[in-house]
Amino acid sequence: MTMPHPAAESGGMDKSIVILGSGTAGTLTANRLRRTYDERECRITVVDQNDDHVYQPGLLFVPFSLAEPHALVRPRPRQLLDGIAYRSAEIDRVDLTADQVHFTDGTSLGYDVLVVATGASLLPEETEGLTGPGWGEKVHTFYDLPGAVALHQALERFEGGRVVIDVVDLPIKCPVAPLEFAFLADWYFQRRGIRDRVELTYVTPLDGAFTKPVAAKALGGLLKEKGIELVTEFALGEVDGTGGRLVSYDEREVPFDLAVVVPLHGGAEYVERSPGLGDELGFVPVDRHTLQHPDHPHVFAIGDAAGLPASKAGSVAHFEGEVLAHNIGQFLAGKPLDASFDGHTNCFIETGFHKALLIDFNYDTEPLPGHFPGALGLPLLKESRANHLGKLAFEWLYWHSLLPGRELPGIGSAMPEHGKTHTPA
């Protein structure tokens, strides 16, 4: 059993909360806390190594000319409410014994509560050949802004052949995005009038199109309906950019003329340099319901940085944020934590032709048919224009409601049960 931390013994007055990372999770956490506590109660400092906040859901649209790259980027400090300190610095390590964050410039910052929200990093160099010959030419990714822009240029030049979308391994940010790319590619090539000259192949290490059986069946059916080949249980071992081949560890091969690869993901580099903070992948283990570190009660993690059996998606960070902000207050007041985060995940899946599919699930309930957030809401596991409009509307909600730490009316952290069909036909 862990002993209470001294920070939990004085009512939370005049305490220092340091949040590492000012992406989705870090920004909304800081703003939620500032809305709850004034500056006399706690000092909130947010740290990040660059000042560009990228709307990551928009990266999917850049390759297809459906979003302008510059419109996805805003200054990080301007997303924070007044009274929140912002520090631009590169983190060297966290000293959990001394409660200090050390920076590469030799300075440090102490804390009473630490929130790790530095997200997930792309690790393309971990896959043999991925960043070798062909990288940025006929081997691409859309999981960062430069990659999405380069892929847009490659698609504009593409006149026919085999396009392969490959997920190297899980976990990844937004697990449905590679499927969305495949669906949008089908639509894109139809709009260009060359779909009959393009073979589309979706390659995954899973045994189906998705991790959950009901959703996997529905999404696999969509792939088939759109003429997209599905290759399962493919563990990518090597990318041969010169020869145009993806090679699995069991020596199966998938040829390509254009490869769109979602690289391995890991936690931020400093996590590995911080003894006791993270796991072997660089993610921070936390209690799946309270978001508190099991060995260091004054440390919490949220969003993609958290080692949880939940999707690494923006909606998850939003739902976690409600629970986390409350739990930090509970911790500082020396009260029991709220063990209510249920793994709630909500994802719009673009399927092309101005339609989208919506899934909603948590740790215990897989995506099911029905409606969200209630019986009269948006259709689940069913293509519709309403879902597509919901996906587009989310960008406005992101900048003006989710990041500022506001509540979304009618949508709480817990997954709604009402409206779902628990015995699908």
Side-chain angles (χ1 to χ4, degrees):
M1 178 181 297
T2 56
M3 297 296 292
H5 190 268
E9 298 176 356
S10 56
M13 300 301 291
D14 192 28
K15 296 299 178 182
S16 174
I17 300 173
V18 173
I19 299 171
L20 302 181
S22 61
T24 304
T27 301
L28 67 86
T29 298
N31 288 336
R32 278 183 175 271
L33 287 168
R34 178 49 70 225
R35 290 180 183 278
T36 305
Y37 305 103
D38 64 33
E39 294 177 69
R40 293 169 297 175
E41 293 178 292
C42 64
R43 301 180 304 279
I44 302 171
T45 303
V46 177
V47 178
D48 210 299
Q49 64 180 357
N50 69 67
D51 295 345
D52 289 339
H53 186 114
V54 178
Y55 176 63
Q56 293 192 65
L59 296 176
L60 168 72
F61 297 110
V62 171
F64 304 107
S65 302
L66 299 173
E68 292 295 331
H70 64 84
L72 305 179
V73 184
R74 298 188 184 185
R76 293 190 191 276
R78 289 178 57 184
Q79 312 315 312
L80 298 169
L81 299 179
D82 291 343
I84 298 173
Y86 177 80
R87 180 166 181 174
S88 181
E90 186 175 348
I91 304 165
D92 178 59
R93 70 189 189 282
V94 175
D95 185 336
L96 293 169
T97 303
D99 298 341
Q100 293 278 327
V101 180
H102 293 270
F103 303 104
T104 57
D105 63 4
T107 62
S108 62
L109 181 64
Y111 59 83
D112 294 298
V113 172
L114 180 71
V115 178
V116 180
T118 36
S121 301
L122 304 183
L123 305 173
E125 67 280 355
E126 293 295 319
T127 300
E128 184 179 350
L130 179 52
T131 57
W135 179 244
E137 297 172 0
K138 63 179 185 178
V139 180
H140 295 268
T141 188
F142 64 94
Y143 263 59
D144 59 22
L145 192 55
V149 171
L151 181 52
H152 167 251
Q153 296 166 351
L155 286 175
E156 284 194 322
R157 297 190 301 265
F158 196 75
E159 295 298 331
R162 194 176 197 189
V163 178
V164 175
I165 302 99
D166 177 84
V167 178
V168 176
D169 203 357
L170 299 177
I172 59 171
K173 295 184 283 187
C174 193
V176 300
L179 282 163
E180 291 181 283
F181 187 94
F183 296 141
L184 289 177
D186 167 66
W187 182 37
Y188 171 81
F189 289 122
Q190 290 200 45
R191 295 201 322 267
R192 285 189 53 195
I194 62 170
R195 181 64 178 91
D196 60 339
R197 303 205 301 269
V198 177
E199 294 179 66
L200 286 172
T201 302
Y202 185 79
V203 181
T204 173
L206 301 173
D207 61 2
F210 196 61
T211 55
K212 310 288 186 177
V214 173
K217 181 179 179 181
L219 293 166
L222 270 177
L223 289 172
K224 185 175 181 180
E225 178 183 315
K226 294 175 182 293
I228 302 170
E229 179 188 7
L230 175 62
V231 177
T232 60
E233 299 181 306
F234 189 94
L236 181 63
E238 178 188 355
V239 177
D240 175 7
T242 302
R245 300 178 305 139
L246 301 182
V247 184
S248 69
Y249 281 107
D250 62 4
E251 299 183 347
R252 284 186 292 158
E253 296 185 2
V254 175
F256 65 83
D257 296 293
L258 181 68
V260 181
V261 179
V262 180
L264 288 170
H265 284 38
E269 287 186 12
Y270 76 87
V271 175
E272 296 183 14
R273 298 191 294 266
S274 306
L277 181 59
D279 60 21
E280 65 278 2
L281 296 176
F283 298 116
V284 178
V286 290
D287 183 276
R288 66 190 300 201
H289 299 297
T290 67
L291 307 178
Q292 183 184 45
H293 197 290
D295 301 319
H296 304 279
H298 57 310
V299 176
F300 297 80
I302 183 173
D304 295 350
L308 290 172
S311 294
K312 295 188 183 300
S315 66
V316 176
H318 169 68
F319 299 135
E320 288 172 335
E322 180 181 328
V323 175
L324 177 61
H326 178 65
N327 275 342
I328 290 174
Q330 292 292 100
F331 171 76
L332 288 174
K335 297 179 180 179
L337 301 192
D338 175 9
S340 67
F341 180 63
D342 64 357
H344 187 195
T345 306
N346 184 274
C347 295
F348 289 100
I349 304 173
E350 281 290 303
T351 56
F353 302 92
H354 306 293
K355 292 183 179 181
L357 181 146
L358 177 62
I359 57 176
D360 189 72
F361 58 100
N362 65 12
Y363 289 140
D364 301 317
T365 303
E366 68 171 309
L368 296 172
H371 293 82
F372 173 87
L376 299 178
L378 294 170
L380 293 167
L381 278 175
K382 182 179 179 181
E383 286 186 287
S384 74
R385 184 172 178 80
N387 286 333
H388 168 70
L389 294 175
K391 175 97 170 183
L392 298 183
F394 181 74
E395 183 171 359
W396 187 93
L397 289 171
Y398 181 88
W399 294 114
H400 298 283
S401 185
L402 188 148
L403 279 190
R406 296 189 175 98
E407 301 293 337
L408 296 180
I411 302 176
S413 63
M415 186 200 75
E417 295 282 353
H418 189 56
K420 290 185 169 66
T421 303
H422 283 262
T423 307

